[in-house]
């Protein structure tokens, strides 16, 4: 059975990228009144405690969402206030405000933490539900027995009734049954853990099948950027698929550190952990690219851990 548990990684740099894209995409899709169905093929547990045992073990949120929350940049639209105690009118330039997409991401995280800080980190199911209207639907797939049980319990607290379905089933194999939804408007988030090499191929098969059933849906795939041929090929093959289908696409990546394995003076080797990740979207909202063009440099700047920090943003179709 799988060993991946998202609780160890909740709120890390990859979640910041993924959830910023998710929120910006949903905000746009929810501007129209017609019902939206969101299919989350790999839902995780839904909600995480950043002060809990799992998150505390790896502390990945410290280099992700928590860094953003402690940054002094004013939110978009807020005036930067001069430093306290500084009488000089010609003081240093105030920090540039946080981009709209990052401000919006932090606004959502703060909604879950009304007393400040970030004790609670919402996963994709809770972020999505937070933004959906009553007439929208959310379909959640989670295969890990423990996470599926936790997801069930977390979702039950929302008392959302039939708006949310939790399926303890294979997202790759079963999620296309919801496509196209009755309103013919859907966002599909495909966010596997890639702990099995075959996940890369299954993502491609899943997106190909989903596009065949429902060519106008919006598809968002997260993937890790690691030194592995399958990871390198995935965005390239998604791009080919979108281009062949005549669909627009968008590809955003965020690198926070080098992927090199290092050896210290004692001869011990250190693996760097996840250095980078990407989001590939087919039929993205047209509003997403300018939002990410402003947000990605700030993510690289604020979340970068060494001089390899970088981002890329590309689109086509
Ligand atoms: N989307 C979540 C979020 O952003 O908060 C995180 C999901 S986590 C990266 C991937 C999840 O997929 C894990 O909880 C894992 O147990 C689950 N999983 C793995 N294979 C699966 C499959 N074939 N179908 C459904 N869930 C699966």
């Amino acid at each position: 059975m799988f060993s991946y548990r998202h609780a160890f990684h909740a709120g890390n740099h990859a979640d910041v990228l993924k959830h910023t894209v998710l929120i910006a995409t949903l905000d746009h899709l929810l501007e129209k009144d017609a019902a939206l169905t969101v299919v989350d093929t790999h839902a995780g547990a839904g909600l995480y405690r950043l002060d809990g045992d799992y998150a505390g073990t790896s502390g990945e949120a410290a280099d992700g969402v928590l860094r953003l929350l402690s940054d002094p940049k004013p939110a978009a639209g807020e005036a930067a206030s001069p430093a306290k105690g500084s009488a000089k009118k010609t003081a240093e330039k105030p920090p540039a405000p946080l981009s709209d997409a990052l401000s919006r991401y932090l606004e959502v995280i703060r909604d879950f933490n009304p007393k400040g800080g970030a004790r609670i980190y919402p996963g994709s199911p809770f972020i999505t539900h937070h933004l959906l209207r009553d007439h929208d639907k959310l379909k959640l797939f989670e295969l890990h027995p423990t996470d599926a049980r936790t997801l069930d319990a977390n979702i039950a607290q929302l008392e959302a009734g039939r708006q949310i379905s939790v399926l303890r089933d294979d997202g790759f194999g079963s999620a296309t049954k919801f496509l196209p939804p009755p309103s013919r408007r859907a966002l599909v988030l495909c966010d596997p853990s890639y702990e099995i090499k075959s996940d890369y191929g299954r993502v491609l098969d899943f997106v190909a099948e989903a596009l065949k059933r429902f060519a106008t849906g919006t598809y968002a795939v997260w993937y890790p950027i690691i030194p592995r041929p399958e990871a390198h090929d995935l965005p390239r093959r998604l791009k080919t698929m979108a281009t062949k289908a005549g669909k627009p696409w968008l590809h955003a990546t965020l690198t926070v550190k080098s992927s090199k394995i290092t050896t210290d003076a004692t001869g011990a080797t250190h693996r760097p952990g996840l250095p980078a990740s990407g989001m590939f979207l087919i039929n993205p909202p047209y509003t997403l690219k300018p939002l990410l063009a402003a947000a990605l440099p700030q993510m690289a700047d604020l979340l970068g851990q060494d001089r390899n920090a970088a981002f890329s943003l590309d689109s086509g179709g």
Side-chain angles (χ1 to χ4, degrees), residues 4 18-19 41-44 123-124 142-144 147 169-171 191:
Y4 180 93
K18 177 188 14 178
H19 294 153
T41 62
H42 295 71
S124 52
E142 173 53 52
L143 206 49
H144 192 291
D147 279 355
D169 202 352
D170 175 17
D191 178 27

Side-chain angles (χ1 to χ4, degrees), residues 6-12 15 47-57 59-62 64-66 69 105 109 113 117-122:
H6 195 67
F8 289 112
H9 311 285
N12 69 0
D15 265 6
L47 207 56
Y48 305 93
R49 290 278 304 264
L50 291 185
D51 57 356
D53 288 347
Y54 288 121
T57 309
E60 289 187 22
V65 63
L66 298 177
L69 283 169
Y105 164 73
I109 301 303
N113 294 281
R119 206 170 58 85
I120 302 289
Y121 189 80

